[in-house]
Amino acid sequence: MSHDHNHAPAGFSKAFAIGIALNLVFVGVEAFYGWTVNSLALLADAGHNLSDVAGLVLAWGGVLAGRLQPNPRHTYGWKKGSILAAFANALLLLVAMGALGWEAMGRLTSPDVSTGHEGATVMAVAGVGILINSATALLFMRGRDTDLNIRGAFLHMAADALVSAGVVVAGALTLWMGWHWLDPVVSLLIAAVIVWGTWSLFKQSLHLLFDGVPDDIDPQAVHDYLAELDGVQAVHDLHIWALDTTQTAMTAHLVMPTWRQDDLFLKGIADSLHERFEITHSTIQIVREPFTTPCRSWGTKK
């Protein structure tokens, strides 16, 4: 059998530590000014931003869980932790946007006519929020396309930067033009945009939790590559699944009635699977006669 153990975890621990620290400070600032000016909006947003800290902690926990060493009871370790964290982050974002939409609908029916000092304070603190959330999102920008868990952290912080920007713009126009309906309308639009962007993360992470084939891998192409190998009569029991948000595993039975190869043949397959499909853990079993019922009818090599 061939089993490739080439790992390349990205180091985002410093980014998580900085992001959590920045957001905890911001929550403290919001809570202080919310209490000082008696602003329920700021106090509520402080509670919302505390959920950002929870989201970052979840994502960091997923990264750290993936670094735990395998043992006889968890032979792959705790790598699924990063997928679970990505799913939890997506779910948290969707719930937060649902709460934002509910609040916005309430304000459309009963407009908040607060103006003056409180409104200016809310805008000023939201402006700081844009900076904090944008800076935190930038910490995770380089990993958002290659790691679903890091993408979850990035989306969470980018979404809150967008919400804070909406608060500033809507607040300024409301103070200037007296359009009290604008704030809830902008909130609903922002919530819709964020839900649209988060839905893909939710679906992908849920798909991987149930051992689905990662979206960037074509299982038929993997089967065809294996089936075209010299001496292979059929491919049985091909399984492809995500170990975590960056590593993919695969197992397969190759029916080879006249197999006389050595380990170099298996090593070549493992190397090709890694290079062509980014499959980092491959286990190949050679059989001369099939002895299991195929899990899927892939067909046989012609």
Side-chain angles (χ1 to χ4, degrees), residues 130 161-171 183 186 190:
I130 296 173
L162 188 59
V163 170
S164 295
V167 170
V168 172
V169 173
D183 179 68
V186 169
I190 290 173

Side-chain angles (χ1 to χ4, degrees), residues 1-5 76 237 241 250-254 256 259 261-271 273 281-287 291:
M1 289 189 293
S2 172
H3 207 152
D4 178 30
H5 289 273
Y76 278 123
D237 296 310
W241 71 100
M250 187 216 77
T251 61
H253 292 179
L254 302 185
M256 301 180 68
W259 187 61
Q261 300 286 350
D262 56 20
D263 288 350
L264 288 177
F265 174 73
L266 296 174
K267 184 179 184 303
I269 296 175
D271 290 344
L273 287 170
H281 287 253
S282 57
T283 303
I284 305 295
Q285 182 171 336
I286 307 296
V287 296
F291 56 84

Side-chain angles (χ1 to χ4, degrees), residues 148-271:
L148 201 64
N149 185 32
I150 299 301
R151 182 184 166 197
F154 171 80
L155 280 177
H156 209 131
M157 303 316 303
D160 268 9
L162 188 59
V163 170
S164 295
V167 170
V168 172
V169 173
L173 288 175
T174 299
L175 287 174
W176 180 34
M177 304 295 293
W179 295 344
H180 298 290
W181 52 267
L182 186 62
D183 179 68
V185 169
V186 169
S187 296
L188 284 172
L189 289 174
I190 290 173
V193 169
I194 293 171
V195 167
W196 179 267
T198 304
W199 189 247
S200 174
L201 175 66
F202 178 79
K203 289 196 302 180
Q204 287 183 54
S205 56
L206 183 62
H207 175 71
L208 296 184
L209 276 177
F210 284 91
D211 290 331
V213 179
D215 289 348
D216 58 346
I217 294 178
D218 180 356
Q220 186 63 53
V222 175
H223 170 271
D224 292 346
Y225 159 71
L226 295 172
E228 292 299 321
L229 291 170
D230 187 38
V232 174
Q233 185 181 84
V235 179
H236 288 178
D237 296 310
L238 174 61
H239 299 281
I240 306 169
W241 71 100
L243 290 174
D244 58 20
T245 49
T246 61
Q247 299 180 65
T248 304
M250 187 216 77
T251 61
H253 292 179
L254 302 185
V255 181
M256 301 180 68
T258 60
W259 187 61
R260 294 290 186 274
Q261 300 286 350
D262 56 20
D263 288 350
L264 288 177
F265 174 73
L266 296 174
K267 184 179 184 303
I269 296 175
D271 290 344

Side-chain angles (χ1 to χ4, degrees), residues 83-94:
I83 299 176
L84 185 59
F87 175 75
N89 240 327
L91 195 59
L92 193 61
L93 256 179
L94 291 175

Side-chain angles (χ1 to χ4, degrees), residues 126-150:
V128 175
I130 296 173
L131 297 176
I132 295 293
N133 292 318
S134 297
T136 306
L138 287 173
L139 293 173
F140 302 105
M141 181 173 284
R142 67 184 174 90
R144 73 188 189 283
D145 293 327
T146 56
D147 188 328
L148 201 64
N149 185 32
I150 299 301

Side-chain angles (χ1 to χ4, degrees), residues 4 25 33 46 52 71 93 105 114-115 117-118 165 181 192 199 216 227 236 240 252 274 277 297-298:
D4 178 30
V25 170
Y33 280 103
D52 296 341
N71 59 49
L93 256 179
M105 291 299 294
S114 299
T115 55
H117 179 63
E118 180 182 341
W181 52 267
W199 189 247
D216 58 346
H236 288 178
I240 306 169
H274 193 182
F277 304 103
S297 180
W298 289 96

